[in-house]
């Protein structure tokens, strides 16, 4: 019997991509799971969608990026224009809501999976292209994160496009320019894409040297150098803007969990010992199990085998494809970036998961094609891949089916209920949960947390009419309001209560702020040890 042809393989890939799409669209408006099997945090999944889309929502609903000139929470538009502006246009076209926001992530995840398959097909591994949508796409954690309206799914779609263009640039240098554009799009989605820059520089250096050997007198190789210079200039230009610098530093402070500077919570105090502790924890037996093996079992088992195989060939001086070297470097940098952050959240771990999944699929494709025959036999190699994929499907399938059997819709239902309660009256709401409960209505809300909107003068100018207070947990926004305006807070009138996961919320109307305290108090401290979920 002859092996299946290319058209049959492409059909298999299409079916797997369709399955991935269906698993994400199923209960798309439902809440994220309230816990994860490996113990990673999920609370940010309930709050971050609103924070990341805040300015785009304002633009689509009210025609302005901020609804008050006093609002200081102008965070993502400045540093992430490649995310904020297209999202505002999408909201304007399709409407604002959890469904519309999450569709962006679902589309980005399908692009990521498709590009990964194309990379593997280009490397001549059709079998690897067929297992990639399983190893990455059907992983429970990847499904979980790519059905939420966060920046990361779009960020990694751009990085995957950059990688694809890099591999195409082996034959046609013009593709390197596409890789640079895709990287810049990723970088201006979120600056955590910076870890990919050394990959780009290594690729440019390798292609520059190769081009010089093949065509010593040609000026084409200088194209790579010119492209790199252009990329670095475009990245550096926004650094001239002080507000941009502040927000980038705040992002790094958040990612590394460094303490805020005494002069400004937007700045950070360097704390290298925290990074060393995070690296040590990530490489401990518990850290490796929680953040590596239990996180992506198929990628871990097949990917490590592929990395060992890659390393042995490099040590022995054997030929290693340009694409494999790029993928190996991508994974190494991604792993170090993930391990340096103490935040145990899925989105921070995608830095290493995606390149590792490609390497795992590459190695699996070689096993399935019998590349290491006669020892072990081709059938045994295929059985090993099948067993690893079966483990992945079981480990991912059980929690997914448990979530799908009893989905909750607390965010959507509470947001719509809040809109009904406040319908027909001007409402300006603050509270830790005001953002997440605003995506299904047209209320105006503001963030009061960390270094944003902390002074009594600014809060008074926001025109706050309602508080959405968390009753069973400290609420930084309402606590700040209560400290600054105790008499106004004392005259609040309760209107309604909401339940979101384990949090009990109360909506209260408050009288206008008429007196501003003369002495500025310190901002509300962020709880130590908790993730800053508004970023």
């Amino acid at each position: 019997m002859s092996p299946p042809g290319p058209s049959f393989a492409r059909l298999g890939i299409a079916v797997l991509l369709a399955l991935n799409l269906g698993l994400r669209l199923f209960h798309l408006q439902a809440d994220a799971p309230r816990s994860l099997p490996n113990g990673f945090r999920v609370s940010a999944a309930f709050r971050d969608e609103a924070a990341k889309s805040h300015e785009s929502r304002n633009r689509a609903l009210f025609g302005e990026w901020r609804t008050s000139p006093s609002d200081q929470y102008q965070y993502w538009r400045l540093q992430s224009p490649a995310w904020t502006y297209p999202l505002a246009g999408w909201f304007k076209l399709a409407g604002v809501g959890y469904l519309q926001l999450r569709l962006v992530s679902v589309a980005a995840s399908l692009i990521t999976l498709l590009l990964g398959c194309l990379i593997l097909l280009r490397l001549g591994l059709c079998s690897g292209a067929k297992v990639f949508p399983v190893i990455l796409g059907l992983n429970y954690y990847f499904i979980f994160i790519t059905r939420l309206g966060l920046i990361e799914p779009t960020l990694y779609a751009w990085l995957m496009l950059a990688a694809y263009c890099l591999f195409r640039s082996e034959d046609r240098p013009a593709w390197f320019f596409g890789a640079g554009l895709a990287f810049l799009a990723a970088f201006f989605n979120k600056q955590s894409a910076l870890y990919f820059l050394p990959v780009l520089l290594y690729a440019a250096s390798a292609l520059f040297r190769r081009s010089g050997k093949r065509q010593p007198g040609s000026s084409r190789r200088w194209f790579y150098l010119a492209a790199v210079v252009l990329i670095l200039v475009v990245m550096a230009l926004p650094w001239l803007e002080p507000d941009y610098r502040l927000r980038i530093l705040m992002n790094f402070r958040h990612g590394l969990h460094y303490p805020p500077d005494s002069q400004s919570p937007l700045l950070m105090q360097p704390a290298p010992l925290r990074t060393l502790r995070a690296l040590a924890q990530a490489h401990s037996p518990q850290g490796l199990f929680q953040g590596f093996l239990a996180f992506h079992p198929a990628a871990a088992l097949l990917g490590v085998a592929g990395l060992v195989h890659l390393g042995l060939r490099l040590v022995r001086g054997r030929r290693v494809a340009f694409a494999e070297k790029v993928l190996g470097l991508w994974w190494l940098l991604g792993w170090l970036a993930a391990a340096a952050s103490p935040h145990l959240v899925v989105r921070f771990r995608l830095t290493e998961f995606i390149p590792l999944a490609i390497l795992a699929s590459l190695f699996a494709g070689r096993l399935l094609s019998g590349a290491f025959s006669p020892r072990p036999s081709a059938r045994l190699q295929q059985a090993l891949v099948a067993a690893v994929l079966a483990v992945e499907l079981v480990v991912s399938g059980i929690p997914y089916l448990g979530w799908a059997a009893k989905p909750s819709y607390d965010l959507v239902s509470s947001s719509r209920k809040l809109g009904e309660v406040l319908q027909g009256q001007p409402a300006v709401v603050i509270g830790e949960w005001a953002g997440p409960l605003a995506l299904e209505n047209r209320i105006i809300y503001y963030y009061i947390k960390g270094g944003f909107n902390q002074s009594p003068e600014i809060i008074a100018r926001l025109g706050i009419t309602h508080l959405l207070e968390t009753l069973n947990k400290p609420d930084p926004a309402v606590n700040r309001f209560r400290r600054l305006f105790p008499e106004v807070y004392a005259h609040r009138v309760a209107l309604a209560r909401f339940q979101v996961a384990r949090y009990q919320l109360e909506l209260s109307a408050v009288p206008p702020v008429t007196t501003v305290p003369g002495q500025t108090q310190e901002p509300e401290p962020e709880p130590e040890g908790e993730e800053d979920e508004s970023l």
Side-chain angles (χ1 to χ4, degrees), residues 131-449:
V131 301
F132 180 69
V134 178
I135 292 176
L136 179 67
L138 298 186
N139 174 272
Y140 176 64
Y141 300 93
F142 192 69
I143 293 175
F144 152 71
I145 203 67
T146 54
R147 59 173 299 280
L148 295 175
L150 302 173
I151 297 179
E152 279 74 14
T154 309
L155 163 67
Y156 289 103
W158 284 116
L159 285 184
M160 189 68 96
L161 179 59
Y164 175 76
C165 291
L166 279 182
F167 302 147
R168 293 297 303 268
S169 64
E170 273 193 284
D171 302 325
R172 300 183 65 181
W175 280 93
F176 190 84
F177 184 71
L181 289 178
F183 169 72
L184 288 173
F187 182 76
F188 288 113
N189 258 256
K190 197 172 185 183
Q191 280 65 34
S192 54
L194 185 64
Y195 86 99
F196 190 83
L197 180 61
V199 178
L200 205 65
L201 297 178
Y202 164 76
S205 173
L207 294 170
F208 179 86
R209 294 194 305 270
R210 180 181 301 182
S211 180
K213 290 178 181 178
R214 290 179 178 177
Q215 299 173 309
S218 174
S219 61
R220 291 179 61 184
R221 63 178 182 153
W222 296 102
F223 172 84
Y224 301 112
L225 180 60
V228 166
V229 170
L230 181 61
I231 291 166
L232 294 175
V233 168
V234 173
M235 291 175 61
L237 282 175
W239 194 256
L240 300 174
E241 173 59 45
D243 286 343
Y244 177 84
R245 292 199 301 270
L246 281 174
R247 279 150 181 78
I248 299 304
L249 290 172
M250 186 175 186
N251 256 348
F252 279 106
R253 177 178 77 80
H254 166 61
L256 296 171
H257 202 57
Y258 282 4
D261 186 80
S262 58
Q263 300 297 320
S264 170
L266 295 176
L267 299 175
M268 64 180 177
Q269 297 178 27
L273 287 179
R274 289 196 178 194
T275 302
L276 292 176
R277 283 197 299 268
L279 288 168
Q281 173 59 31
H283 291 89
S284 69
Q286 179 187 357
L288 289 172
F289 177 79
Q290 183 183 30
F292 195 72
L293 184 61
F295 180 47
H296 43 50
L301 296 171
L302 292 169
V304 167
L307 285 167
V308 170
H309 182 240
L310 171 63
L312 288 174
R313 283 181 292 149
L314 286 171
V315 170
R316 293 170 181 173
R318 295 182 181 177
R319 182 182 179 276
V320 176
F322 166 73
E324 288 186 79
K325 294 178 182 177
V326 169
L327 288 169
L329 179 60
W330 184 5
W331 174 80
L332 177 62
L333 294 169
W335 171 252
L336 291 175
S341 174
H343 297 300
L344 298 179
V345 291
V346 173
R347 58 198 172 99
F348 286 4
R349 297 289 171 144
L350 296 181
T351 54
E352 61 89 19
F353 185 10
I354 291 175
L356 186 66
I358 303 176
L359 286 164
S361 302
L362 189 65
F363 190 73
R366 288 173 172 153
L367 289 173
L368 291 171
S369 62
F372 301 103
S373 295
R375 292 183 301 180
S377 69
R379 289 188 179 275
L380 179 57
Q381 293 176 52
Q382 294 165 2
L384 286 172
V385 174
V388 172
L389 295 182
V391 169
E392 178 69 58
L393 292 175
V394 170
V395 170
S396 293
I398 290 174
Y400 180 87
L401 291 174
W403 167 82
K406 295 181 179 180
S408 62
Y409 289 81
D410 290 357
L411 284 174
V412 170
S413 61
S414 295
S415 180
R416 291 175 179 173
K417 179 183 174 183
L418 178 62
E420 292 170 1
V421 172
L422 297 176
Q423 189 174 12
Q425 54 181 304
V428 178
V429 186
I430 64 165
E432 191 174 22
W433 286 90
L437 267 60
L439 272 172
E440 296 287 329
N441 55 56
R442 294 179 61 90
I443 69 166
I444 293 174
Y445 71 95
Y446 296 106
Y447 281 100
I448 298 178
K449 188 177 182 181

Side-chain angles (χ1 to χ4, degrees), residues 470-492:
T470 309
L471 299 179
N472 56 341
K473 178 183 176 292
D475 190 312
V478 177
N479 284 354
R480 181 63 173 166
F481 186 89
R482 180 176 56 193
R483 285 178 61 195
L484 293 175
F485 311 104
E487 293 186 6
V488 176
Y489 179 82
H491 287 85
R492 71 193 184 283

